Amino acid sequence: MNLTRWYAKAMLSNGSLWFWAVAFMAMWLGIGAFLESQGVGTTRSAIVAYTTSWYAVIVLIALSLLAAVISGSYAYGSSALAYAFRYSRLTPTGYLASLVGGSALVGLVLNVVLLGATAGMFGLRFSTTLLPADPIALVGVSLLGGVFFMALSSTLALLAINHLGLRSADFVGYVPLVLAFVLGNGQVYVAFPRWFVYGSPFNDLTSLLYQGFSGSSATVELGAAAVSLGWVPLLLGILVWTAGLVGCTLVLLRRIRSRNLEERRQI
Amino acid sequence: MLDVRGLKVTFAGATTPALRGIDLRLDKAKMVVVGANGSGKTTLIRAVLGLVPPTAGSIAVDGKDVRTIRGEPGLSTNLAEIYRLMSLPVRDLVRLFALLKGGDPAEMEGHLRAFELDPVLGKRLYELSTGQQKLVGDLFAVCFGPRLVLLDEPFDNVDFARRRRLVGLLRALPADILLNTHELELLGSFADWQLGLMFEGQLLGPFSVAELDRLYLTRGDAPEALAVLRTSVGLFSVTRDAGDRPVKSATSLTALVESLA
């Protein structure tokens, strides 16, 4: 049973998601384009590198906000899911497939909107046309990013719901956001070792987004030299993480516990 | 068909059990369970739904252990938390649950019109009044061909005219029904149904709602007792035609026990 369109509709009609993942992130793009860009060189390559760095990190954080929304939906829906798996035609596999489809679609929508905002604002600031070098690759990375963050937030939320309680579920909802913020920005300012970037799904995504927009490989510093990151290991890294987390989600979803919403009160 | 045997539920951290050995069989029958707030009525429904793990005993629906049931759409409920699967307008939730239950959304849309609830179709559950939320849950429970319906306080915050309509709907529904209420004055509408009395996690019965006028509560373990209630203030017997206090005379079973204690 496929509920993809229901899930996509529920997520896309979430006003908070549009505010935080689109409007708030677009504001940061504006800051990057108009306030933080004073020292950027005038060469095309410098402008593209600067723009792409902002775009990649902002999309990563926007996708992590999608994760926060999904995490919250588990807290509200734990009883509904525990009931539906018993007393309706809904199966954990079908539900997860719907989540995969819905979050991939929403990931794509977020990326397209932020891509437009990036191209518009940075293009205006630098008086040049800034379009993605490989839009097809960006579509693929967006879909994959949506699924990865869905699987990460699902695993964390279900671990909390099944074993810790709803108060913990509230806190774990922020973990993807914190990791995306720290690791996404970290890649811009810190010389992460190559193995770390390949092994970190957040940096795999950032690097692939960078490559898809700029057409050049993301780099890491190795001694005094900059070394390009290969797209194959980056793609493999995010695929392995996503597959592993989807598997964990399925196992946890089969054992979902009903939690009373009143548990969620923090004070 | 619902078969509950020796069901005990103790919540984590609780010193007293919420359910203390419930035995209940519902087969081609409708039962009203009467009890005060906190007596365990909702916990019983949540346990049957698989939302509360039993500490001891068993629950079987159509012969299958609740813990192993998967993909059986025949059991429904009016508990609002069940319909929070996604944050969608009621119209979409109706279509979603019709799909999940294998029913026709037009059935529920027709009931919503009959209850003059069409305006809720475009709203989300949290935008509805308490009474509207309750009624929407009630209508979800009776739609899409359920074989067993579990209703928790279905008349709470519902106005008189809609209560009457709902009573008619429940009486005509071709399904087993377990209906929880703390409102004794409603029982007259269900005279031909079975009656269960819930007190401090114990379910007494089944009696008949029609014989409610003949049921008495007597302090102690009476030899002619139909059922014995073990409470924190001692033993009480449910007797027929004679006893200390008529069950119907009290606003709740708790008040009755307290008046005798």
Side-chain angles (χ1 to χ4, degrees):
Chain A
M1 179 163 295
N2 196 327
L3 306 181
T4 297
R5 93 185 153 94
W6 304 94
Y7 224 96
K9 183 174 181 179
M11 285 193 270
L12 288 174
S13 59
N14 184 322
S16 298
L17 182 66
W18 282 100
F19 178 79
W20 292 106
V22 176
F24 189 64
M25 289 298 109
M27 182 198 78
W28 279 103
L29 283 174
I31 289 171
F34 300 110
L35 299 180
E36 297 283 325
S37 58
Q38 306 308 320
V40 177
T42 53
T43 63
R44 171 89 186 163
S45 60
I47 291 168
V48 168
Y50 177 76
T51 302
T52 309
S53 299
W54 269 94
Y55 160 76
V57 174
I58 288 294
V59 168
L60 186 77
I61 295 172
L63 290 173
S64 74
L65 288 163
L66 169 64
V69 169
I70 291 172
S71 183
S73 78
Y74 279 110
Y76 274 94
S78 65
S79 295
L81 286 171
Y83 167 83
F85 293 151
R86 281 189 171 82
Y87 298 115
S88 84
R89 296 173 171 181
L90 186 63
T91 62
T93 311
Y95 183 75
L96 184 55
S98 309
L99 268 178
V100 167
S103 52
L105 195 62
V106 176
L108 179 61
V109 170
L110 292 181
N111 198 348
V112 167
V113 174
L114 291 171
L115 187 62
T118 305
M121 285 192 265
F122 285 81
L124 184 65
R125 162 65 180 86
F126 294 112
S127 304
T128 184
T129 306
L130 290 164
L131 292 175
D134 190 348
I136 304 296
L138 285 183
V139 168
V141 178
S142 308
L143 297 172
L144 198 51
V147 177
F148 164 73
F149 275 104
M150 177 281 297
L152 176 63
S153 64
S154 296
T155 299
L156 293 172
L158 288 167
L159 274 173
I161 287 169
N162 290 0
H163 302 289
L164 299 172
L166 283 191
R167 289 186 184 196
S168 298
D170 271 348
F171 289 111
V172 301
Y174 295 108
V175 170
L177 174 62
V178 172
L179 289 174
F181 183 83
V182 170
L183 294 172
N185 279 303
Q187 194 169 351
V188 177
Y189 299 108
V190 181
F192 286 147
R194 191 162 42 170
W195 63 265
F196 182 86
V197 174
Y198 285 144
S200 157
F202 301 92
N203 299 108
D204 291 334
L205 280 173
T206 315
S207 305
L208 287 167
L209 286 165
Y210 186 97
Q211 190 162 335
F213 193 102
S214 68
S216 321
S217 298
T219 56
V220 289
E221 286 176 27
L222 198 65
V227 177
S228 295
L229 294 163
W231 67 269
V232 173
L234 290 170
L235 188 61
L236 268 178
I238 185 67
L239 280 172
V240 167
W241 270 101
T242 304
L245 289 169
V246 165
C248 289
T249 301
L250 185 59
V251 170
L252 292 163
L253 207 50
R254 288 183 200 280
R255 299 169 185 174
I256 189 166
R257 279 186 62 180
S258 160
R259 292 283 185 179
N260 191 326
L261 262 185
E262 285 301 308
E263 253 187 66
R264 207 176 185 195
R265 290 180 189 275
Q266 294 295 333
I267 301 172
Chain B
M1 193 257 284
L2 174 64
D3 193 8
V4 179
R5 292 184 189 185
L7 176 64
K8 292 182 184 173
V9 171
T10 304
F11 291 111
T15 50
T16 54
L19 297 180
R20 308 170 181 232
I22 301 283
D23 291 305
L24 167 66
R25 188 175 169 83
L26 213 56
D27 188 8
K28 297 181 178 56
K30 294 177 173 155
M31 175 185 267
V32 183
V33 175
V34 177
N37 295 326
S39 59
K41 304 188 302 294
T42 306
T43 302
L44 173 60
I45 283 187
R46 288 174 57 79
V48 175
L49 291 170
L51 306 182
V52 171
T55 312
S58 67
I59 307 168
V61 175
D62 289 335
K64 294 180 185 167
D65 189 315
V66 161
R67 287 168 295 194
T68 61
I69 288 178
R70 295 288 181 274
E72 301 278 348
L75 185 150
S76 66
T77 180
N78 67 339
L79 287 184
E81 64 201 86
I82 296 309
Y83 301 100
R84 291 194 194 117
L85 193 58
M86 294 181 200
S87 178
L88 291 167
V90 172
R91 178 180 289 107
D92 288 331
L93 280 180
V94 169
R95 290 174 188 163
L96 175 61
F97 274 87
L99 181 71
L100 294 178
K101 293 282 190 174
D104 182 355
E107 180 191 3
M108 173 114 177
E109 286 162 0
H111 282 309
L112 286 168
R113 273 193 299 277
F115 279 78
E116 297 171 30
L117 286 169
D118 330 35
V120 310
L121 280 167
K123 296 181 180 176
R124 289 163 200 263
L125 289 177
Y126 64 81
E127 295 173 313
L128 308 186
S129 73
T130 312
Q132 286 174 329
Q133 280 189 36
K134 179 59 79 174
L135 273 170
V136 168
D138 292 341
L139 294 179
F140 267 124
V142 300
C143 287
F144 315 133
R147 293 192 302 277
L148 174 60
V149 180
L150 307 177
L151 295 166
D152 189 43
E153 306 287 3
F155 304 104
D156 265 11
N157 297 297
V158 175
D159 60 63
F160 181 73
R162 289 188 175 100
R163 279 186 178 204
R164 285 183 56 186
R165 185 177 284 278
L166 184 59
V167 166
L169 191 58
L170 295 177
R171 291 185 56 79
L173 193 70
D176 294 348
I177 298 179
L178 183 71
L179 187 158
N180 283 347
T181 182
H182 61 267
E183 299 181 67
L184 288 171
E185 62 270 26
L186 282 172
L187 292 181
S189 306
F190 303 102
D192 53 342
W193 288 27
Q194 292 180 6
L195 173 69
L197 303 175
M198 184 74 99
F199 189 86
E200 290 186 359
Q202 299 162 81
L203 182 64
L204 306 178
F207 310 107
S208 158
V209 172
E211 69 174 346
L212 182 64
D213 290 339
R214 299 171 58 196
L215 296 180
Y216 286 77
L217 201 64
T218 303
R219 187 167 181 88
D221 189 359
E224 70 280 17
L226 301 173
V228 175
L229 186 62
R230 296 170 198 285
T231 77
S232 49
V233 291
L235 289 182
F236 295 86
S237 301
V238 178
T239 50
R240 186 178 283 130
D241 294 329
D244 294 343
R245 295 268 200 288
V247 169
K248 203 176 179 182
S249 70
T251 51
S252 76
L253 210 53
T254 307
L256 197 58
V257 168
E258 283 171 353
S259 71
L260 289 171

